[in-house]
Amino acid sequence: MKSSPRSEDVEPAISEVVYISIWTLRQDRRTLDFVVACAGHKPIFVFSNHSSSGLTAAFLELRIPHLAESMKKVIPDRRVFAIVGIETVAERLAAAWEALTGHRIKQPAYYQATHTFCTRQTLAPLTASDVGMCRMGLATEGHILQAGRLCSAFTQSAHDDPYQLSVQQGIQEAKRLIQRKELYVCDVLRGGRADDYDVVCIIAVTRKSTKVAAVSKVFTHENYRRRGYAKRLLAHVCHEVLRTKQQIVLFVAHDLKTAAGVYGRVGFVGVGDRPMSERALVERWLELGFEDTDTGHW
């Protein structure tokens, strides 16, 4: 087994990107077990090629301490304000980090969610209600102020969200996402002019690789809820993104039953009213925060 930090053995600046990998080395082959990603001001994400069933206590006990020690060599202690991963992995890595650094795990957990996905095969066809009564597409500079207020409101909607953004911070977040062509909006006209509209719903599409993209910030203005705008925009986004990607992933909190139902109807597996047989295809993820650290944001 070998750990492989993808950086120099110095304390990186908080804006740098650091990847750390853990491999199992055998005589005839090597297997990638874990990858830790530390990017910008975001939580530490830990990914695995193994399913939950393969992440046994013995498997984790042999590898997680090496992963924590490798993290400490290249990531400042206070930079690790939260760890996100499959439940068992996040719990073990957070405990190892707490023991190694003295930064205590916060209670309760920041986030408990299902990590689900949608493909061209599971995606539901567009219906007339998915394309009518509103305009949908990538946000432009003209959307920055309204979209920024929704970015802020999204973080404020959960009273225990540790990553709350002020309105000004939300506007800066929207500006950044729009510049990167990562924010989609649904807007409705208020009057007869094309420039007189309300942004009623936003969705961010980030963390893109050659085959996969992640959806986040699915949020509807409080004055326009229960009218189907989130489903329409999500369906539009999925059909657009899956033209070039093989899979879209997202997190849905365990207590958001209504949202899970919407995601399931669009085509995300293992959530909402989807067949129970699909539950084995999705993973339960966990985010754990740490005390006395420099909190960033998602």
Side-chain angles (χ1 to χ4, degrees), residues 4-294:
S4 176
R6 297 291 298 277
S7 69
E8 298 296 326
D9 191 15
V10 296
E11 283 203 350
I14 197 168
S15 61
E16 291 182 4
V17 177
V18 177
Y19 293 103
I20 301 170
S21 57
I22 293 287
W23 299 75
T24 296
L25 304 181
R26 296 184 175 88
Q27 189 171 8
D28 57 339
R29 70 182 188 279
R30 64 177 189 167
T31 304
L32 178 61
D33 296 321
F34 296 107
V35 173
V36 162
C38 172
H41 297 267
K42 297 184 182 298
I44 304 299
F45 279 81
V46 54
F47 304 93
S48 178
N49 281 335
H50 304 280
S51 65
S52 294
S53 60
L55 298 171
T56 64
F59 182 91
L60 296 175
E61 185 176 351
L62 188 61
R63 292 162 175 81
I64 292 298
H66 291 284
L67 193 54
E69 290 165 4
S70 296
M71 286 171 55
K72 186 164 176 56
K73 290 179 181 178
V74 295
I75 305 174
D77 292 2
R78 292 184 60 86
R79 168 63 183 81
V80 184
F81 59 86
I83 288 175
V84 184
I86 293 174
E87 279 187 345
T88 53
V89 176
E91 289 170 345
R92 292 295 186 102
L93 183 56
W97 186 254
E98 180 183 66
L100 198 60
T101 66
H103 290 278
R104 297 182 62 83
I105 299 170
K106 288 185 176 181
Q107 297 295 338
Y110 280 176
Y111 194 48
Q112 295 172 293
T114 297
H115 186 254
T116 177
F117 63 90
C118 177
T119 67
R120 296 168 195 165
Q121 290 71 40
T122 66
L123 181 62
L126 286 174
T127 65
S129 63
D130 290 328
V131 297
M133 299 177 61
C134 58
R135 301 182 301 183
M136 297 175 289
L138 280 169
T140 66
E141 288 188 0
H143 293 110
I144 288 176
L145 291 180
Q146 290 195 53
R149 294 188 185 101
L150 291 186
C151 285
S152 171
F154 170 73
T155 66
Q156 302 289 337
S157 62
H159 297 300
D160 57 349
D161 190 332
Y163 308 125
Q164 293 189 0
L165 299 177
S166 67
V167 171
Q168 189 57 44
Q169 289 171 325
I171 290 171
Q172 291 302 313
E173 173 78 351
K175 183 177 181 179
R176 181 183 65 83
L177 290 169
I178 290 170
Q179 288 174 340
R180 296 184 179 185
K181 299 187 184 302
E182 293 180 339
L183 190 68
Y184 286 79
V185 295
C186 173
D187 62 41
V188 296
L189 296 177
R190 287 186 297 221
R193 303 199 322 269
D195 61 348
D196 186 16
Y197 57 83
D198 283 332
V199 174
V200 301
C201 187
I202 58 171
I203 291 178
V205 180
T206 58
R207 300 198 297 276
K208 291 173 281 190
S209 68
T210 55
K211 297 180 180 180
V212 181
V215 160
S216 62
K217 287 184 172 61
V218 182
F219 188 74
T220 303
H221 191 289
E222 61 181 357
N223 293 340
Y224 290 90
R225 291 175 187 164
R226 300 188 182 279
R227 303 187 196 181
Y229 288 116
K231 178 180 179 294
R232 294 174 195 173
L233 183 57
L234 183 60
H236 171 82
V237 168
C238 288
H239 277 270
E240 287 291 311
V241 173
L242 287 174
R243 291 180 179 180
T244 57
K245 305 295 182 185
Q246 295 182 11
Q247 190 178 90
I248 301 172
V249 298
L250 64 75
F251 292 103
V252 55
H254 296 327
D255 58 346
L256 295 182
K257 305 300 183 185
T258 300
V262 171
Y263 301 153
R265 289 193 292 276
V266 170
F268 286 86
V269 306
V271 295
D273 296 326
R274 303 281 299 189
M276 289 297 294
S277 59
E278 292 183 351
R279 299 298 168 93
L281 302 175
V282 298
E283 304 279 6
R284 294 171 64 91
W285 279 53
L286 180 68
E287 180 181 13
L288 294 170
F290 295 93
E291 296 179 356
D292 192 29
T293 54
D294 300 321

